[in-house]
Amino acid sequence: MTKVTVLLPLLSCHQRSARLSPDGVSAASAGKFVKSQALPRILLAIATLASLSIGRAEENAVPAGDYVSRAEYDKLKSEHEAMKQEVEALKATVKQLTASIAQSPAPPKPAGEGKQVVGVPSEAATEELRQEVETLKTQVKETLPGTMKFLLAGFGSAGFTARSGEDPFFDAAFNPIFLWRPTDRLFFQAELELGFDNGETTVELPIAEAAYLLNDYMTIDVGRFLNPTNFFIERLHPDWINKMPDKPLAVFDGLLPESELGAQLRGVIPIGPTKLEYVAFVANAPDLITESDDFSEIGMLDFDNTSNFGGHVAVGGHVGFIPIPQLEIGYGIQRSKVGPRDRAVENILQSVDLNIVTDSALLKGLITARAQWVWSHVEHFVFDPDGEQGFGPLTFNNNRNGGYAQLSYRPIHIDNDIIKKFEPVVRYDRLNQLHTPVGFDEQRWSFGLDYWLTPSAVLKIAYELDDKNGGARDQDAFLIQAALGF
Amino acid sequence: MNKFIQMGSRWIGLPGAIIISCVAVSWLIGCAGNKQSGEVAVGTREKGGAQLWAENCQRCHTMRSPSEYSGAKWEVVMQHMRVIGNLTPEEHKQILEFLKSGT
């Protein structure tokens, strides 16, 4: 419709050119001009400038059959010239656009178009390629420091203690553990224990040992290792594992050493569905404290005898039996001479331990029951025999014992994301040493509540009811601790 | 209590004998059995890595997610646990495979 509308005025224009007025301008020459030069361009321009031409054609339309005057002719001519210029401008624009389109990147081809057809690789070739990739991946991993054979693990904690009769205080500790596995059979580990004690920062080295797998069931360790006869120390002492903010009497900082300096041979014997664990070790013997500014320490054992004063060697071991996966029972013993070489006496340390962890469908949770009891026996010894220290000669029954029993419950199968993270704990611990220079027995009932943020991050709160005999003051305590294993 | 201590003194040889026997038996199993390292015993294989992971790890501490470490790091951790946790080679292999599959 638009094209028809456009052509009509142009035809009118052509007819008018053939009937020029008699002012000296030849109608034939005028028509020739229009036909040879202007018309083709006008037609081209019309095709692209339809809307523009429509308006102008309609304005300039004259009635058919009338002659045009000179003025009309001039007007038409000037309009024709204007249109020529517009067409030239349009042609230049079209040319520019065409050039820019040619220079732009080609649009993406449809999938499969222009693709080379190759043969399907054989299964063997694919497997070979896969193995090469795996090998390369392993090699790349091995070049990354700290990702293949070395690992920094450990734990940290921060806490608050308010104990009756003492100033309340905040506390913090950091125990990085360095694990290094140079080969499949050789292994090295070390633990640093950083903490505070009486206003000073303390650094201990409870573990610094190299282990070698003699065979699949036997390992030999040399160096400083956690006391294998002390189940709590070896397995449960890290703050993120121990369920109470503090550690039980007797088994920690009490009657058994935390670490031994020597060598141990350990392993496991699978017996059908059960398992028997064993450890045998030789180490520096503890030292018998015969002199001290604090009289209560007389007769105690110094387990940090790294220089092995007295020159004695301790021999010991531990046997654990796991009849069912939920139960572990164990017995440990350590025997050595203690005291000055010329007056050495025998020391025997014994421990029994029980560990039950069972997932109860009936109670919808995990029940953990742990207990350990230890005995320390030091043979008859005369302290301050010549009375130089002002309290001798002194002899006493140097037998001590103590331990703990603990029960906890975590409702992991209850359908509540908050409640299942709580774990109430109750613990009873005791240390008997009334007949020693310490002069009292102590027992505690502790009630705690843990909240597990993650499997290795826990917030602990507890209250301890302390009971001492022998005239010593009871010291109830309120404790808070946050612990994180990493 | 004194009686127990005296008994312990008297029978100090018994625990020692038990431990020495364990060492000997363990040595025999490890050497005479001629078992390839990591070969899986029948009973252990029936349980699977996930169950062994739950049984052995949970006895001391809460179970940490397999995604907590990379496979290479689990190898180091499990070597540590194999020694201190007295894991059999079968348990070690199964648990390690389970942990690495979850990384």
Side-chain angles (χ1 to χ4, degrees):
Chain A
M1 178 67 184
T2 303
K3 286 183 180 177
V4 173
T5 312
V6 167
L7 286 172
L8 286 174
L10 282 171
L11 289 172
S12 304
C13 175
H14 187 205
Q15 288 168 350
R16 282 195 301 266
S17 300
R19 299 189 298 262
L20 286 175
S21 60
D23 55 0
V25 178
S26 158
S29 63
K32 187 180 178 182
F33 167 73
V34 172
K35 193 180 286 185
S36 64
Q37 296 183 24
L39 186 58
R41 293 181 180 181
I42 290 170
L43 287 173
L44 181 62
I46 289 304
T48 52
L49 292 172
S51 59
L52 186 68
S53 302
I54 288 169
R56 289 188 179 181
E58 285 176 349
E59 283 175 8
N60 300 330
V62 292
D66 296 341
Y67 290 94
V68 293
S69 63
R70 178 73 193 181
E72 287 175 328
Y73 168 78
D74 290 337
K75 185 183 175 186
L76 284 171
K77 190 178 178 183
S78 64
E79 287 177 354
H80 169 71
E81 290 297 329
M83 289 177 73
K84 273 178 65 180
Q85 290 176 2
E86 287 177 4
V87 168
E88 290 300 323
L90 279 169
K91 284 173 71 178
T93 304
V94 169
K95 191 175 179 181
Q96 197 175 4
L97 284 170
T98 305
S100 63
I101 289 169
Q103 288 173 359
S104 64
K109 294 179 179 178
E113 186 178 333
K115 192 177 283 183
Q116 265 190 322
V117 178
V118 295
V120 178
S122 67
E123 195 173 325
T126 306
E127 180 61 21
E128 187 181 353
L129 184 63
R130 192 189 64 77
Q131 287 179 357
E132 282 182 11
V133 170
E134 286 298 321
T135 305
L136 283 171
K137 281 167 69 178
T138 305
Q139 287 174 348
V140 168
K141 279 183 181 176
E142 284 178 342
T143 60
L144 299 174
T147 58
M148 195 63 183
K149 296 176 178 178
F150 180 81
L151 179 67
L152 175 63
F155 56 96
S157 67
F160 172 77
T161 302
R163 197 178 295 279
S164 61
E166 294 179 0
D167 294 330
F169 62 93
F170 290 94
D171 198 11
F174 178 54
N175 292 54
I177 300 175
F178 305 91
L179 306 172
W180 184 38
R181 181 175 172 264
T183 70
D184 288 347
R185 292 193 173 274
L186 188 59
F187 184 68
F188 182 83
Q189 60 175 327
E191 177 184 342
L192 283 177
E193 192 172 278
L194 310 174
F196 302 108
D197 185 25
N198 291 327
E200 293 181 354
T201 303
T202 59
V203 181
E204 302 284 344
L205 187 64
I207 303 174
E209 63 171 305
Y212 184 78
L213 268 68
L214 294 171
N215 61 47
D216 281 347
Y217 299 90
M218 186 181 287
T219 305
I220 185 169
D221 294 8
V222 294
R224 190 168 172 86
F225 47 88
L226 295 176
N227 180 8
T229 67
N230 193 337
F231 187 84
F232 177 83
I233 287 296
E234 194 177 57
R235 305 281 186 87
L236 310 173
H237 86 279
D239 289 329
W240 71 276
I241 297 176
N242 177 28
K243 296 181 188 297
M244 279 290 182
D246 66 348
K247 297 181 175 66
L249 295 169
V251 299
F252 181 82
D253 202 15
L255 306 183
L256 293 180
E258 292 167 30
S259 297
E260 304 279 8
L261 193 52
Q264 65 173 336
L265 194 63
R266 62 186 304 151
V268 58
I269 304 171
I271 309 171
T274 69
K275 198 165 72 169
L276 187 67
E277 307 167 342
Y278 67 87
V279 183
F281 67 90
V282 292
N284 288 348
D287 185 27
L288 181 65
I289 298 175
T290 58
E291 298 178 8
S292 176
D293 295 334
D294 182 357
F295 177 68
S296 68
E297 291 184 346
I298 298 297
M300 287 184 175
L301 296 171
D302 177 14
F303 296 119
D304 291 326
N305 189 19
T306 53
S307 57
N308 202 25
F309 175 78
H312 309 299
V313 175
V315 179
H318 181 270
V319 177
F321 182 54
I322 305 176
I324 54 174
Q326 296 82 11
L327 171 65
E328 183 169 6
I329 51 177
Y331 169 75
I333 187 169
Q334 173 180 324
R335 184 176 183 178
S336 69
K337 293 286 187 182
V338 294
R341 191 181 293 268
D342 57 341
R343 294 195 297 137
V345 294
E346 190 172 56
N347 166 233
I348 299 174
L349 305 173
Q350 298 177 86
S351 171
V352 292
D353 51 78
L354 170 73
N355 189 29
I356 302 171
V357 181
T358 182
D359 196 341
S360 170
L362 180 67
L363 298 175
K364 294 186 175 182
L366 199 66
I367 298 167
T368 306
R370 287 171 175 151
Q372 187 177 351
W373 204 263
V374 301
W375 292 265
S376 171
H377 164 69
V378 178
E379 207 175 29
H380 182 268
F381 186 87
V382 179
F383 296 89
D384 191 19
D386 48 14
E388 285 182 354
Q389 297 179 64
F391 59 81
L394 174 68
T395 62
F396 56 88
N397 178 6
N398 199 356
N399 295 326
R400 308 165 201 248
N401 68 85
Y404 79 102
Q406 178 178 287
L407 182 67
S408 63
Y409 165 68
R410 187 175 172 195
I412 54 174
H413 299 307
I414 284 182
D415 192 20
N416 185 303
D417 289 341
I418 301 297
I419 293 176
K420 68 170 54 174
K421 291 180 180 177
F422 281 100
E423 184 172 19
V425 191
V426 60
R427 184 186 69 192
Y428 173 79
D429 55 344
R430 184 178 181 97
L431 178 55
N432 297 320
Q433 45 189 356
L434 177 66
H435 302 294
T436 68
V438 173
F440 63 84
D441 298 330
E442 181 178 12
Q443 64 176 357
R444 301 185 303 194
W445 279 99
S446 305
F447 303 92
L449 184 65
D450 297 349
Y451 183 77
W452 292 90
L453 300 166
T454 72
S456 59
V458 59
L459 298 174
K460 299 181 270 188
I461 185 168
Y463 191 81
E464 279 181 0
L465 297 171
D466 185 51
D467 180 23
K468 297 189 184 79
N469 61 14
R473 178 180 177 176
D474 298 340
Q475 290 184 293
D476 293 351
F478 174 70
L479 306 104
I480 301 175
Q481 187 184 58
L484 173 69
F486 58 91
Chain B
M1 221 277 286
N2 286 336
K3 283 184 179 177
F4 181 84
I5 292 169
Q6 287 170 4
M7 190 174 68
S9 303
R10 196 179 308 141
W11 290 92
I12 184 77
L14 180 60
I18 292 172
I19 293 169
I20 290 169
S21 300
C22 289
V23 172
V25 170
S26 183
W27 180 266
L28 287 172
I29 291 174
C31 298
N34 198 25
K35 187 175 282 186
Q36 292 294 316
S37 179
E39 186 180 328
V40 179
V42 175
T44 308
R45 186 171 57 227
E46 287 170 353
K47 285 188 173 179
Q51 188 177 348
L52 291 169
W53 168 68
E55 287 178 358
N56 286 277
C57 306
Q58 195 169 248
R59 206 155 44 231
C60 291
H61 54 76
T62 49
M63 293 182 292
R64 298 171 82 154
S65 168
S67 62
E68 196 162 330
Y69 292 119
S70 66
K73 287 182 177 179
W74 274 124
E75 287 188 5
V76 182
V77 172
M78 283 304 296
Q79 187 79 348
H80 165 69
M81 296 313 303
R82 178 178 183 171
V83 173
I84 201 166
N86 295 319
L87 299 177
T88 64
E90 295 82 12
E91 290 170 336
H92 173 258
K93 183 174 186 295
Q94 293 274 68
I95 295 172
L96 181 58
E97 282 179 0
F98 165 72
L99 292 170
K100 290 172 80 172
S101 69
T103 56

